[in-house]
């Protein structure tokens, strides 16, 4: 079965500091995508970053980057220069195998950026 | 970019009544729609997957007669909560997938907060 695990229910970071959110997953597929989504208090799901498993280079989007370790099935999210607007619930997600490719989500990490 | 409009954003209904939630893809064709349910401080749980023009596939434990899903066109999918009860109170989110929608295949609606009293 494909699973996504986030072991940090809550984290906090000082504004302008760096924080890393952890995610591990399990899949039998060799080619797949991994996602990090952000859900602020508005509850709108916002795509933060995506990683393609066949790419060795870690994905980067401005202040957001990932540390993708395929052999270890680890996919952590690093947020640099944290801003107050980064306060949100963060979900790691993996598409399930099959034709529909539904996303399965981790349990989430509530990140609070402190002023 | 691709947008999915979800309405209503919040609704309060009386126990025993039915509520319909709509998700519309505004600038792409949503061949597949995923419906999720989210309880406070919890993750998104997939309820069902629907493909345009065919019956929805429900996840184990989700009552298909209570949560009616219609995906009659490539731009509209609806979720109807029938004979709602307080335990159905939750946050419901749709996610559309289709050709040319960007977002790497998944575009989320803004969600509907349902409160059954």
């Amino acid at each position: 079965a494909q699973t996504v695990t986030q072991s940090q229910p809550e984290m906090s970071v000082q504004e302008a500091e760096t924080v890393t959110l952890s995610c591990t997953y399990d899949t039998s597929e060799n080619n797949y995508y991994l996602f990090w989504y952000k859900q602020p208090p508005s509850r709108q799901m916002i795509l933060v970053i995506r990683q393609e498993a066949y790419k060795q280079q870690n994905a980067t989007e401005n202040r957001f980057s990932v540390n993708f370790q395929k052999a270890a099935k680890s996919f952590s999210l690093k947020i640099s220069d944290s801003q107050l607007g980064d306060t949100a619930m963060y979900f790691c997600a993996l598409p399930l195998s099959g034709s529909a490719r539904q996303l399965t989500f981790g349990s989430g990490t509530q990140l609070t950026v402190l002023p | 970019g691709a947008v999915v409009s979800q309405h209503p954003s919040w609704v309060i209904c009386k126990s025993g009544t039915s509520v319909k939630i709509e998700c519309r893809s505004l600038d792409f064709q949503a061949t597949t729609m995923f419906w999720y349910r989210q309880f406070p401080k919890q993750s998104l749980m997939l309820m069902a997957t629907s493909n345009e023009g065919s019956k929805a596939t429900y996840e184990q434990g989700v009552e298909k007669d209570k949560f009616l899903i219609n995906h009659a066109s490539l731009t509209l999918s609806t979720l109807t909560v029938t004979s709602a009860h307080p335990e159905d109170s939750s946050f419901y989110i749709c996610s559309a997938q289709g050709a040319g929608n960007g977002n790497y295949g998944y575009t989320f609606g803004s969600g509907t907060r349902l409160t059954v009293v």
Side-chain angles (χ1 to χ4, degrees):
Chain A
Q2 290 164 282
T3 59
V4 177
T5 302
Q6 293 179 251
S7 59
Q8 305 154 313
E10 298 180 354
M11 294 191 72
S12 62
V13 62
Q14 291 294 139
E15 196 174 6
E17 297 295 309
T18 295
V19 64
T20 298
L21 281 57
S22 300
C23 172
T24 58
Y25 63 93
D26 192 20
T27 180
S28 58
E29 297 192 339
N30 190 44
N31 294 320
Y32 50 90
Y33 298 105
L34 288 160
F35 301 86
W36 276 100
Y37 283 91
K38 164 185 177 181
Q39 189 180 42
S42 68
R43 303 191 79 170
Q44 173 72 58
M45 294 292 284
I46 300 168
L47 177 64
V48 175
I49 200 165
R50 180 185 92 149
Q51 175 75 42
E52 296 168 82
Y54 66 87
K55 289 188 176 180
Q56 293 185 338
Q57 186 173 7
N58 289 324
T60 299
E61 289 287 342
N62 300 313
R63 299 182 295 107
F64 299 88
S65 61
V66 300
N67 182 4
F68 174 52
Q69 302 290 329
K70 190 175 183 180
K73 294 182 178 175
S74 172
F75 182 59
S76 60
L77 174 69
K78 185 172 82 171
I79 305 174
S80 304
D81 185 25
S82 298
Q83 301 177 359
L84 296 178
D86 295 334
T87 292
M89 182 74 100
Y90 286 80
F91 294 102
C92 180
L94 169 73
L96 298 177
S97 59
S99 59
R101 310 297 286 174
Q102 307 95 318
L103 285 177
T104 186
F105 293 87
S107 55
T109 296
Q110 175 62 49
L111 176 68
T112 301
V113 180
L114 304 170
Chain B
V3 175
V4 171
S5 175
Q6 183 171 348
H7 291 282
S9 57
W10 60 271
V11 58
I12 301 173
C13 71
K14 290 185 177 180
S15 189
T17 62
S18 296
V19 173
K20 180 182 286 188
I21 300 169
E22 292 189 350
C23 278
R24 294 180 182 272
S25 56
L26 299 186
D27 47 6
F28 68 99
Q29 294 183 329
T31 51
T32 303
M33 190 72 77
F34 306 108
W35 287 93
Y36 293 88
R37 183 174 183 175
Q38 185 181 32
F39 291 106
K41 298 187 184 299
Q42 293 188 22
S43 188
L44 281 71
M45 293 177 53
L46 181 66
M47 298 175 66
T49 302
S50 70
N51 293 301
E52 181 266 337
S54 60
K55 290 184 178 180
T57 301
Y58 291 81
E59 295 300 301
Q60 191 172 9
V62 178
E63 298 176 60
K64 62 180 181 181
D65 294 331
K66 172 174 250 327
F67 299 100
L68 299 178
I69 292 173
N70 184 286
H71 193 167
S73 78
L74 286 171
T75 60
L76 174 64
S77 179
T78 61
L79 167 66
T80 301
V81 183
T82 63
S83 186
H85 288 96
E87 58 265 31
D88 299 324
S89 298
S90 189
F91 190 71
Y92 295 88
I93 309 176
C94 63
S95 175
Q97 188 179 63
N101 80 339
N103 290 310
Y104 305 111
Y106 305 94
T107 303
F108 287 85
S110 54
T112 298
R113 183 185 303 278
L114 170 64
T115 302
V116 185
V117 298

